[in-house]
Amino acid sequence: MAGTRAALLRQCPLLLPRNREGTAYEGFLTAQGRDFHIRILLPMDFQLKNASIECNWHLKKILHGYRHILKQRLHSCPDLVSFMVELKTVLEIALKNTQDLHIPRPPEYYSCLVRDLEVLGWNKVAYVDTDLTTVKLKAEDSCGRQHLIILKLNAKYPTEAPDCLVDFPVQFAVSWMPQSSLIDIYNQFLAALESLKEFWDAMDEIDGKTWVLEPENPTRSATTRRIAIGTNVSVNIEVDPRHPNALPECYFLGAEHAVNPLRIKLNNNMHSWDPEISLLRNLQDLLEIDFPSRAVLEKSDFAKDCGICYAYRLAGAPPDQVCDDPRCGQPFHRACLYEWLQGLPSSRQSFNVIFGECPYCNKVRRSDENE
């Protein structure tokens, strides 16, 4: 938590924590020499996709056309620091385009843009706004997946490159010269799609053949998957989009007696990872398991409701704590369990870690609010 706050302070020195838990931040976001008031509220499980962002009407108006982009970034960024970097980038683009709206475009701007679109082909155009300042182009990669690139053109086009927004897990940087055109951007877009083919192939196989608990509806930029292994047992993987066939970071969730053997197998078999076979096949070989199949099992077979709030999702997140007693194995949301243990007169607390009895089997267990 201290490391996160320090990194956040470096990126946004005017954005400060409002509570000890690190779930509320308030202050100012600086872009183009201007400060914008902002408040960020995180859920107790720190899931960014369920964060609440509050700002004044002026900033809300500036970012209005970028809401879907910010929503994607909330789902794909691994932490608050990464999201704030993305937010500042989007805000810079939005401010630049807002300023450009008041700059009259010369006749050459429109003739050049229409000519470029005609040469590119209108069949590749998904959307053009009435001001001819925003263009969405569509493309299909070699596997038939559909993709969009959003272009925000400034008044100096084609002398200056448009701002490009894509749903990629890596940065998309456009190479541009004064004589460049939309065709050059489109070709670079196609090349970038092919460079990410193996990554999307690996993620699509996981999404199609296993039960993914999180994210529920992954974007193309999402690099994590929480895959069900058994009842209240899952593994969270973080895949490197540049090296999708490499061993990903793995974090197991579930009761200790269930996940410890999986950790041991992963460590013992790590040397046998084969980059020539698929990511999913490698994971199954290393863990010596078959992931529950979507063709055979239903999600309800291993996704159980929280034993305290009796719901599967709390603020969008499924239960991620499980009682360690093999005879119990009841799942809980971390926030629910922490609140339950806090209310027990027999519980004891050390900093943010609280110890108390499981509400189902009375086994003493711990809960870390910020774990």
Side-chain angles (χ1 to χ4, degrees):
M1 181 60 67
T4 299
R5 290 182 179 179
L8 190 61
L9 185 62
R10 287 193 295 272
Q11 290 294 337
C12 306
L14 301 181
L15 187 66
L16 302 175
R18 294 299 304 271
N19 59 12
R20 187 179 62 180
E21 294 79 12
T23 58
Y25 290 85
E26 186 171 5
F28 295 90
L29 184 63
T30 303
Q32 293 193 2
R34 298 164 62 184
D35 295 332
F36 298 90
H37 184 261
I38 190 170
R39 181 185 296 112
I40 299 175
L41 303 175
L42 299 172
M44 296 303 294
D45 57 8
F46 295 95
Q47 292 284 327
L48 274 180
K49 63 183 179 182
N50 300 314
S52 172
I53 302 175
E54 302 173 1
C55 57
N56 59 29
W57 68 270
H58 187 208
L59 180 56
K60 190 176 296 185
K61 182 179 179 181
I62 293 172
L63 295 174
H64 178 73
Y66 301 82
R67 292 177 63 182
H68 63 293
I69 297 295
L70 293 175
K71 188 174 182 180
Q72 285 181 352
R73 297 301 183 259
L74 276 173
H75 278 72
S76 61
C77 287
D79 51 47
L80 181 58
V81 178
S82 302
F83 173 72
M84 292 307 299
V85 173
E86 296 275 4
L87 177 57
K88 287 180 68 174
T89 301
V90 171
L91 180 56
E92 292 278 357
I93 293 173
L95 285 170
K96 182 179 176 183
N97 288 324
T98 301
Q99 293 165 359
D100 285 343
L101 288 176
H102 304 291
I103 301 175
R105 278 146 167 80
E108 306 85 64
Y109 168 91
Y110 298 101
S111 59
C112 181
L113 176 58
V114 172
R115 184 184 68 246
D116 283 358
L117 290 173
E118 288 178 343
V119 173
L120 178 64
W122 289 99
N123 61 318
K124 298 181 177 66
V125 179
Y127 169 83
V128 181
D129 70 346
T130 54
D131 296 324
L132 295 183
T133 58
T134 300
V135 178
K136 296 182 183 179
L137 303 178
K138 57 186 177 181
E140 186 176 283
D141 64 26
S142 57
C143 292
R145 289 178 286 250
Q146 300 294 321
H147 303 270
L148 284 176
I149 178 170
I150 302 173
L151 308 178
K152 299 284 188 178
L153 295 96
N154 60 52
K156 295 182 180 179
Y157 177 84
T159 305
E160 292 185 2
D163 293 313
C164 304
L165 300 171
V166 293
D167 187 16
F168 282 4
V170 296
Q171 185 178 8
F172 178 63
V174 172
S175 176
W176 186 267
M177 293 182 291
Q179 64 269 28
S180 296
S181 68
L182 295 187
I183 298 174
D184 298 297
I185 290 181
Y186 193 78
N187 289 334
Q188 293 176 53
F189 181 52
L190 291 177
L193 291 180
E194 290 310 301
S195 72
L196 291 165
K197 175 184 177 298
E198 290 187 355
F199 168 74
W200 286 322
D201 285 347
M203 304 309 263
D204 283 353
E205 183 183 21
I206 289 173
D207 292 339
K209 294 184 178 179
T210 72
W211 278 109
V212 174
L213 303 179
E214 294 182 277
E216 279 192 292
N217 299 298
T219 62
R220 286 296 174 193
S221 57
T223 58
T224 62
R225 294 293 190 275
R226 180 178 169 187
I227 309 171
I229 296 177
T231 303
N232 304 323
V233 182
S234 59
V235 60
N236 194 79
I237 64 169
E238 174 78 34
V239 181
D240 183 349
R242 293 299 188 191
H243 305 282
N245 292 326
L247 177 63
E249 291 185 28
C250 298
Y251 176 70
F252 295 99
L253 297 104
E256 190 62 24
H257 71 271
V259 301
N260 193 52
L262 294 170
R263 292 196 196 100
I264 293 173
K265 288 178 182 177
L266 179 64
N267 291 330
N268 290 344
N269 298 331
M270 199 176 293
H271 65 279
S272 62
W273 184 273
D274 184 357
E276 298 302 318
I277 63 176
S278 74
L279 175 64
L280 179 60
R281 173 71 181 279
N282 265 313
L283 286 173
Q284 293 186 136
D285 289 348
L286 261 64
L287 299 177
E288 300 174 13
I289 60 169
D290 288 322
F291 289 107
S293 170
R294 300 179 71 94
V296 178
L297 297 173
E298 296 294 328
K299 197 170 185 178
S300 58
D301 292 329
F302 43 79
K304 304 301 181 183
D305 293 343
C306 170
I308 295 174
C309 72
Y310 304 113
Y312 180 62
R313 291 196 174 273
L314 177 67
D320 55 359
Q321 301 284 296
V322 179
C323 179
D324 290 333
D325 191 328
R327 295 167 298 179
C328 178
Q330 179 64 47
F332 308 101
H333 297 113
R334 178 180 290 112
C336 293
L337 182 61
Y338 190 86
E339 186 174 346
W340 167 273
L341 296 178
Q342 270 192 322
L344 294 178
S346 58
S347 66
R348 62 187 189 281
Q349 186 166 356
S350 176
F351 296 100
N352 286 330
V353 180
I354 191 167
F355 300 85
E357 297 174 345
C358 169
Y360 282 77
C361 69
N362 295 327
K363 177 183 173 66
V364 175
R365 60 158 297 122
R366 65 189 290 272
S367 178
D368 187 339
E369 185 182 21
N370 299 320
E371 196 172 48

